[in-house]
Amino acid sequence: MLRSAGGPVPSSIAGRAIPASVPGVVHTDLLTAGLIPDPYLGMNEHELTWIGRSRWRYSLDFDWHDDGMRRHDLACDGLDTSAVVRLNGVELGRVANQHRRYRFDLADVLVSGANRLEIEFDSALEIVEEEARRVGDPPRPPVFPHPFSLLRKSACNFGWDWGLDVVTAGIWRPIAIESWNGTRISAVRASARADRTATVTVDLEGDGDFTATIAGVSATGRGSVELAVSSAELWWPRSHGAQPLYDLVVETDDDRVVQRVGFRTVEIDSAGGAFGVLVNGEPVFVRGANWIPDDAFPSRVGRARIAARVTDAIEANMNLLRVWGGGTFEHDDFYDECDERGVLVWQDFLFACSAYPEEEPLYSEVAAEARDAVDRLASHPSIALWNGANENIWQHVDLDWDTQLDGRTWGERYYLELLPSIVAALDTDRPYVPNSPFSWNSENHPNDPSDGLCHLWDVWNDLDYTAYADHSPRFVSEFGFQGPPAWSTLTRAVHDEPLRLDGPQLLSHQKADDGQAKLARGLAPHLPPGRDFVDWHWATQLNQARAVRFGIRHFRSLAPYNQGSIVWQLNDCWPVVSWAAVDGDGVRKPLWFALQEVYADRIAIISGDEIVAINDSAEPLDTTIEVVRATGRESVTVSLGARSVRRMPLPSGSGWVALRSDELEGDLRLAGEPVDIDLSAPRMTTHVDRTANGYRVTVTAAELIVDLCLFPDRIQSTATVDRSMVSLIPGESATFEVAVQGDIDPTLLTAAPVLRSANDLFG
């Protein structure tokens, strides 16, 4: 049961007993009880700030009877964030960290019969504001919009340039009473390497030996044991091989833990300033995306939703997801999905875009949460590396934190001393990098594109997206461009009448600084804004996709000098104008389809006066590339070895040029920007056939059609399409498979606003 415990709570809710779900948070319980409107809709976010400024008490009355066990613990997997835990009126402990697990000994407190558990949460927002006042001026920079760095809580929960400001409180992960005798297994960390050996380290509460078994091979000892599993097959990231997983069984006389492990070795190649990921000694060109919490209330995200998002990554030809440091350490289900499906995980420690104090009690909290995270996650083969923080070393340099902080700490000791020491002690075979971005040579700027990792945000903030071509990065771990969510998602959440660019509800769902103006600035050199809001929505979605596609084509054309890119971002946590490829309702935006194309294993790219043919697959390829222009076509043959790149001259000619191949994703370069060459209104024929799951739409071009997309969500919010961002040269056809529920008017599938292209912005 949930009750308010103080603060600016409305009289209709103050003192009221509210059913509580665990895992959950106050917002979700109030929403389920019908006591608040959905914070995702309209301007509701701003009407609900009182929740984050209030105190809340969870309580549970339960019966317990002696089960013969000698030890009873209250095991809390996640408490958000600052709370007092009491059983039968006795204080068990105080907590102040969302990111770690807690255990409380219930000896002499748990009684046979009736018991009462209470957890009372303070306002995290009031705590950080009070701490900021105590510390005084100058504040630790930057505060965005609250001083989130003063408490160990998810940074984006305080609001971000894509996230809403809903400061939560609650029991956000499972809680249980665990009873045991003798010896309890408190942690298992397995390092299973490509040489088919595994080091299994076990932390025990109590004395005794343990036995570890993998694939029939066992060893018994204390602390750690070594196993040689000659029969083990190697675990590989997707497109490089299979993902065999083996049960690791760890047993004592009193306890048993089962984990799944995969045998693989991960290394980082830093030679000459490179940032190259090697798995089992083989280079892996990274095609990835940044991952944020998939819901502003992460307790609502279950295995099915995680699987759907990982499917989004896989079907967009990605092989890595970066769990960004302003969010959370994800649920075990996320890492299990990545283990099973061959998606590498770049795991940030939870620091982002701010100066973090190194003094107590935060230093000890950081140490405890880092050890807890490594204990929990170290056995997952999908985790490729640990990263100390997001952008903090970079911002320390560029934003002159030393002057602003006047000698106060900002987190450097975490990234360069504490965190690497914990990784070295607990996860010896996995690489660690102090920050993203980061340069190996300390004399270089931390965001030097020629050394290590870089973030390219000059494009979104200041420059036209064609400026991506001015960079030659070794590895891009963040870059991106904004666009609105799907029409069905936007109109579910935004109800301005009429819909307009400066509508208050739309602006409430645009969190980026000067975001609408940046969208307009980024659009102007490339596409017309259109005649109305409907056209603006299509044009800005299209421009987002074209911008990121342009950047990735350029980065891939630099291979092997460039070893990968991680786009910002895969997913959203609510309906918002953002950088995401998949919006807050799970709808794939045009950007997603562009990523599916440019992240393909095999692709041909027009780069300057060259064709760059890339075969990032395990099989060699001999193929023909057709170079097509309005005035004719020419064939180019190419032989590509496995994991290879080949450059060849682009045949000369004028006007637009397209690359076509049966085995390679193609490319199209126009004679100029669409806005300059004034693409004509599309001339095409369409045909619709009924299928078992919906409809098949066939489009045949009579002239060049650029970036053809189909948006069935405009007819039915749950409808999906298998492809988009398709350009057709004269005479070419494309088919779109549309999945719908029931029947719809098929003629709606053949005209705007459902069927759209860059051309029709000019018609």
Side-chain angles (χ1 to χ4, degrees):
M1 198 63 67
L2 172 68
R3 289 180 173 84
S4 63
V9 181
S11 58
S12 59
I13 295 176
R16 182 170 179 166
I18 302 161
S21 295
V22 175
V25 293
V26 172
H27 287 77
T28 54
D29 289 332
L30 293 174
L31 187 60
T32 299
L35 297 174
I36 61 170
D38 189 337
Y40 287 8
L41 305 183
M43 304 284 287
N44 294 338
E45 168 198 0
H46 310 287
E47 304 302 319
L48 299 174
T49 55
W50 58 269
I51 300 173
R53 292 197 175 277
S54 301
R55 301 188 303 280
W56 299 92
R57 182 183 300 113
Y58 286 79
S59 63
L60 175 68
D61 294 311
F62 65 97
D63 284 338
W64 178 85
H65 299 282
D66 189 355
D67 55 6
M69 296 291 184
R70 293 193 295 272
R71 178 70 181 266
H72 310 285
D73 293 342
L74 181 67
C76 307
D77 284 354
L79 300 176
D80 175 17
T81 290
S82 187
V84 180
V85 183
R86 298 184 178 92
L87 181 64
N88 300 326
V90 177
E91 183 177 310
L92 301 178
R94 294 173 180 258
V95 302
N97 193 328
Q98 180 186 3
H99 304 310
R100 57 178 288 202
R101 296 171 293 181
Y102 294 91
R103 296 184 74 89
F104 302 101
D105 185 356
L106 302 183
D108 303 323
V109 183
L110 186 65
V111 299
S112 184
N115 290 265
R116 183 176 182 84
L117 175 66
E118 292 183 325
I119 304 179
E120 185 167 323
F121 290 90
D122 289 327
S123 161
L125 187 53
E126 297 286 334
I127 287 172
V128 296
E129 289 179 347
E130 174 58 31
E131 180 63 11
R133 287 190 291 268
R134 186 189 69 80
V135 172
D137 290 332
R140 277 187 163 81
V143 177
F144 170 45
H146 302 296
F148 58 81
S149 66
L150 303 180
L151 184 67
R152 296 309 299 155
K153 178 174 171 62
S154 173
C156 65
N157 189 230
F158 291 89
W160 214 259
D161 57 2
W162 40 258
L164 71 174
D165 184 350
V166 282
V167 179
T168 54
I171 307 169
W172 78 292
R173 281 186 170 158
I175 186 171
I177 292 177
E178 295 182 358
S179 300
W180 51 282
N181 283 325
T183 300
R184 184 181 75 86
I185 299 171
S186 58
V188 175
R189 297 179 298 278
S191 174
R193 297 172 291 273
D195 63 1
R196 276 81 171 178
T197 64
T199 302
V200 179
T201 303
V202 179
D203 295 343
L204 299 177
E205 192 170 351
D207 294 325
D209 294 338
F210 70 88
T211 299
T213 304
I214 304 174
V217 178
S218 297
T220 299
R222 297 191 178 194
S224 66
V225 297
E226 297 286 330
L227 294 89
V229 188
S230 59
S231 62
E233 299 293 328
L234 296 186
W235 185 98
W236 292 92
R238 58 174 305 275
S239 81
H240 281 250
Q243 295 82 44
L245 297 170
Y246 298 88
D247 283 347
L248 163 62
V249 181
V250 176
E251 296 177 286
T252 69
D253 291 340
D254 306 296
D255 203 358
R256 186 174 189 267
V257 170
V258 180
Q259 294 182 347
R260 290 186 305 169
V261 299
F263 286 80
R264 95 291 176 264
T265 300
V266 180
E267 302 165 281
I268 300 298
D269 173 18
S270 60
F275 191 94
V277 177
L278 289 81
V279 178
N280 304 327
E282 181 175 311
V284 175
F285 186 91
V286 170
R287 295 170 268 154
N290 285 269
W291 171 281
I292 66 169
D294 202 51
D295 196 307
F297 309 114
S299 58
R300 298 198 295 196
V301 179
R303 181 69 178 257
R305 185 155 152 189
I306 288 171
R309 292 293 83 75
V310 174
T311 297
D312 287 329
I314 290 171
E315 293 185 355
N317 294 311
M318 296 178 186
N319 57 21
L320 181 144
L321 291 171
R322 175 191 171 204
V323 181
W324 169 74
T328 67
F329 297 112
E330 281 295 329
H331 192 278
D332 290 341
D333 288 342
F334 171 81
Y335 305 98
D336 288 342
E337 282 287 330
C338 293
D339 289 346
E340 294 168 10
R341 304 175 74 181
V343 177
L344 295 171
V345 176
W346 164 322
Q347 179 65 60
D348 281 15
F349 287 102
L350 301 183
F351 302 89
C353 304
S354 186
Y356 286 81
E358 299 169 13
E359 290 73 33
E360 294 293 354
L362 282 181
Y363 189 90
S364 292
E365 286 293 343
V366 168
E369 81 179 52
R371 293 188 185 99
D372 188 63
V374 177
D375 275 346
R376 180 167 72 91
L377 303 178
S379 298
H380 287 280
S382 58
I383 296 183
L385 63 89
W386 297 98
N387 172 44
N390 179 72
E391 296 189 347
N392 291 350
I393 292 177
W394 176 24
Q395 292 189 5
H396 171 260
V397 172
D398 275 12
L399 302 182
D400 192 21
W401 283 3
D402 281 343
T403 299
Q404 297 181 59
L405 290 168
D406 193 24
R408 289 183 297 159
T409 58
W410 56 273
E412 181 179 31
R413 195 153 60 107
Y414 296 142
Y415 318 133
L416 301 183
E417 296 178 15
L418 176 64
L419 298 175
S421 70
I422 289 172
V423 172
L426 302 181
D427 194 13
T428 56
D429 294 326
R430 189 172 278 120
Y432 170 86
V433 61
N435 258 227
S436 181
F438 185 76
S439 292
W440 303 116
N441 186 342
S442 60
E443 295 182 0
N444 290 339
H445 188 281
N447 198 35
D448 183 346
S450 69
D451 186 7
L453 301 166
C454 76
H455 291 190
L456 296 180
W457 284 115
D458 52 357
V459 164
W460 165 250
N461 288 313
D462 301 304
L463 304 176
D464 183 67
Y465 70 68
T466 56
Y468 282 132
D470 298 333
H471 295 286
S472 296
R474 305 307 301 264
F475 192 107
V476 189
S477 44
E478 264 191 38
F479 72 104
F481 206 90
Q482 258 205 1
W487 185 264
S488 58
T489 303
L490 182 70
T491 54
R492 183 179 74 82
V494 173
H495 307 125
D496 294 317
E497 291 291 347
L499 288 171
R500 63 186 193 275
L501 303 190
D502 62 348
Q505 293 193 24
L506 179 64
L507 294 180
S508 183
H509 290 75
Q510 165 60 280
K511 298 295 187 180
D513 181 35
D514 205 25
Q516 295 298 84
K518 289 178 180 177
L519 284 173
R521 176 188 55 75
L523 184 67
H526 304 282
L527 296 165
R531 294 147 292 198
D532 53 22
F533 187 87
V534 172
D535 274 1
W536 171 86
H537 178 266
W538 161 230
T540 49
Q541 278 205 325
L542 175 59
N543 204 49
Q544 177 189 33
R546 289 174 62 86
V548 174
R549 182 177 65 187
F550 179 93
I552 295 177
R553 278 177 175 162
H554 172 64
F555 304 149
R556 292 198 73 178
S557 77
L558 300 174
Y561 179 85
N562 174 273
Q563 287 292 305
S565 60
I566 307 177
V567 68
W568 186 271
Q569 65 216 61
L570 174 68
N571 58 327
D572 259 332
C573 64
W574 74 306
V576 64
V577 182
S578 85
W579 295 264
V582 180
D583 73 21
D585 283 3
V587 182
R588 294 170 172 177
K589 295 160 64 172
L591 171 58
W592 184 91
F593 292 98
L595 291 172
Q596 184 183 50
E597 172 195 333
V598 294
Y599 273 160
D601 285 355
R602 295 169 166 177
I603 187 170
I605 298 168
I606 301 169
S607 177
D609 57 1
E610 289 186 322
I611 299 171
V612 182
I614 299 171
N615 177 23
D616 192 16
S617 74
E619 300 298 326
L621 173 67
D622 294 313
T623 190
T624 299
I625 300 173
E626 295 289 326
V627 182
V628 186
R629 298 182 187 272
T631 54
R633 63 178 61 208
E634 183 174 340
S635 296
V636 177
T637 59
V638 59
S639 180
L640 289 164
R643 318 287 180 197
S644 69
V645 179
R646 177 83 181 276
R647 292 173 173 83
M648 64 208 77
L650 176 69
S652 60
S654 61
W656 57 262
V657 57
L659 304 182
R660 293 293 184 260
S661 170
D662 292 338
E663 289 86 10
L664 301 169
E665 282 288 343
D667 196 355
L668 169 68
R669 183 164 73 190
L670 300 176
E673 292 297 335
V675 75
D676 297 323
I677 62 176
D678 193 20
L679 286 174
S680 58
R683 291 197 301 119
M684 59 190 180
T685 59
T686 58
H687 182 77
V688 182
D689 294 305
R690 193 69 163 95
T691 65
N693 296 319
Y695 298 87
R696 178 178 298 112
V697 180
T698 302
V699 178
T700 302
E703 60 186 359
L704 182 67
I705 297 179
V706 177
D707 293 329
L708 188 66
C709 292
L710 201 149
F711 297 101
D713 71 289
R714 281 182 162 273
I715 304 171
Q716 186 182 97
S717 63
T718 57
T720 60
V721 65
D722 69 326
R723 64 189 305 200
S724 272
M725 292 294 290
V726 178
S727 291
L728 299 176
I729 62 178
E732 275 189 331
S733 297
T735 59
F736 301 81
E737 300 290 340
V738 179
V740 299
Q741 297 177 355
D743 295 325
I744 62 172
D745 179 355
T747 63
L748 297 175
L749 296 168
T750 63
V754 177
L755 186 66
R756 302 224 60 168
S757 68
N759 302 60
D760 65 37
L761 289 168
F762 298 86

